[in-house]
């Protein structure tokens, strides 16, 4: 999503909030379990805000999950920063997102683009546990 930034105060508000938002990112996005990576930044000389996410599943269920699980975090970042941002609890949230949504022309999802972050985390934990078991057996 690329949306216009409220002027003149939007860039200042964004910069004041971004450190706290960065600290809270793993909680808000972690609850979703579908986000591979996320970037939010000001672009084009502070005239626009970019929200770029790589996520598992389809667009509409992803947005519905964001509204359900990460609404306070997203609202904290975008309120008074993105021009006209209605807040995720508003009936205008989905039309606002659709208005500024930009679909990637090229996207590469790695060796297994169908693996969700939950799948990857589960696999890593299983591998770690198996490694500890082998270490124990070898001792």
């Amino acid at each position: 999503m690329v949306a216009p930034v409220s002027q003149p105060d939007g860039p200042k508000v964004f910069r004041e909030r971004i450190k706290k938002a960065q600290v809270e990112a793993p909680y808000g996005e972690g609850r979703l379990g579908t986000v591979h990576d996320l970037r939010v930044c000001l672009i084009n000389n502070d005239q626009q805000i970019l929200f770029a996410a790589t996520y598992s599943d389809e667009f509409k269920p992803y947005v519905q999950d964001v509204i359900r699980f990460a609404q306070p975090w997203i609202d904290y970042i975008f309120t008074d920063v993105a021009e006209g941002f209605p807040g995720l609890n508003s009936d205008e949230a989905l039309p606002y997102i659709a208005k500024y949504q930009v679909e990637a022309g090229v996207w590469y999802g790695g060796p297994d683009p169908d693996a969700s972050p939950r799948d990857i985390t589960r696999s890593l934990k299983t591998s770690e546990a198996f490694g500890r078991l082998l270490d124990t057996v070898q001792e």
Side-chain angles (χ1 to χ4, degrees), residues 30 32-36 55-57 112-127:
L32 295 172
T34 57
V35 177
H36 293 268
Y55 53 90
S56 302
D57 300 325
D112 191 351
D114 294 326
S116 75
R118 283 190 181 119
D119 296 336
I120 294 166
T121 300
R122 185 179 319 117
S123 294
L124 291 171
K125 287 180 180 179
T126 301
S127 177

Side-chain angles (χ1 to χ4, degrees), residues 24-38 51 53-74 88 116-119 121-122:
E24 294 175 353
Y27 176 77
E29 294 300 327
R31 291 186 66 205
L32 295 172
T34 57
V35 177
H36 293 268
D37 64 69
L38 171 72
F51 178 96
T54 303
Y55 53 90
S56 302
D57 300 325
E58 297 298 316
F59 179 72
K60 190 172 181 179
Y62 166 73
V63 171
Q64 290 169 334
D65 282 349
V66 168
I67 291 170
R68 188 172 343 146
F69 297 118
Q71 174 267 323
W73 185 73
I74 297 291
L88 289 183
S116 75
R118 283 190 181 119
D119 296 336
T121 300
R122 185 179 319 117

Side-chain angles (χ1 to χ4, degrees), residues 68-94:
R68 188 172 343 146
F69 297 118
Q71 174 267 323
W73 185 73
I74 297 291
D75 283 354
Y76 177 73
I77 294 171
F78 282 86
T79 300
D80 298 324
V81 174
E83 187 176 288
F85 179 70
L88 289 183
N89 281 333
S90 168
D91 290 340
E92 296 302 311
L94 289 177

Side-chain angles (χ1 to χ4, degrees), residues 10-24:
K12 179 182 175 222
V13 172
F14 179 80
R15 287 185 179 90
E16 288 170 353
R17 294 180 181 171
I18 206 62
K19 285 185 183 181
K20 180 180 181 201
Q22 178 66 51
V23 168
E24 294 175 353

